[in-house]
Amino acid sequence: EWPARVEPIAVIGDGIELAAAALSTQTAAPGETVEVRLRWQVTAPPGPALLHLFAHLGDPTAAPRAQTDGPVMGGEYPSSLWAAGEAFDETISLSLPGDLPPGEYPITVGLYDFATGARLPLVVEGERLPTDAVTVGRLTVR
């Protein structure tokens, strides 16, 4: 269980913090599914845009080896309804391809505006990351 209030891992857009993240496992085999738990904190209403979450496996500057993509909170609680002070947890699943070569892969996450496809600016320790995606863990594929 995560503490109620923590320093965020990243600030995304104007009012969303990624407060915590955890992988369900550190090692997996090709074809398996890994869960990524995320904790969102809202410091300001993010506005009317329909925000989608992505999680990518592999080098963030290259095409992902595996990915998941969809509306935040599974579409059940759209970001346009989020209010300042709220915090909630989300778990997403990342299915690994059956032909994934062994190795260590970063898992990165970020948010984007579904209408435009534009990623929201993502800032870690005061600096915007060039891919607007933050590494939330590393997975060893055996």
Side-chain angles (χ1 to χ4, degrees):
E1 202 50 38
W2 287 319
R5 175 76 194 175
V6 294
E7 280 300 305
I9 297 169
V11 177
I12 308 174
D14 293 327
I16 301 171
E17 295 176 344
L18 177 60
L23 305 183
S24 60
T25 180
Q26 302 299 314
T27 59
E32 291 184 349
T33 297
V34 177
E35 290 190 334
V36 183
R37 282 184 60 218
L38 304 169
R39 156 70 59 90
W40 302 111
Q41 292 175 166
V42 184
T43 58
L50 178 62
L51 297 184
H52 276 219
L53 162 70
F54 65 87
H56 290 170
L57 178 79
D59 178 350
T61 63
R65 295 301 195 101
Q67 66 180 340
T68 186
D69 191 307
V72 288
M73 301 301 288
E76 292 177 18
Y77 190 40
S79 55
S80 58
L81 302 177
W82 295 1
E86 288 190 298
F88 27 77
D89 297 340
E90 176 167 19
T91 301
I92 54 174
S93 296
L94 193 60
S95 298
L96 306 182
D99 60 355
L100 186 65
E104 186 181 85
Y105 298 91
I107 294 178
T108 55
V109 301
L111 297 175
Y112 69 94
D113 180 336
F114 182 70
T116 64
R119 291 185 180 184
L120 272 61
L122 189 146
V123 174
V124 174
E125 294 177 353
E127 291 197 27
R128 183 171 175 182
L129 299 191
T131 58
D132 290 322
V134 63
T135 301
V136 294
R138 301 188 80 80
L139 182 71
T140 300
V141 176
R142 50 184 192 272

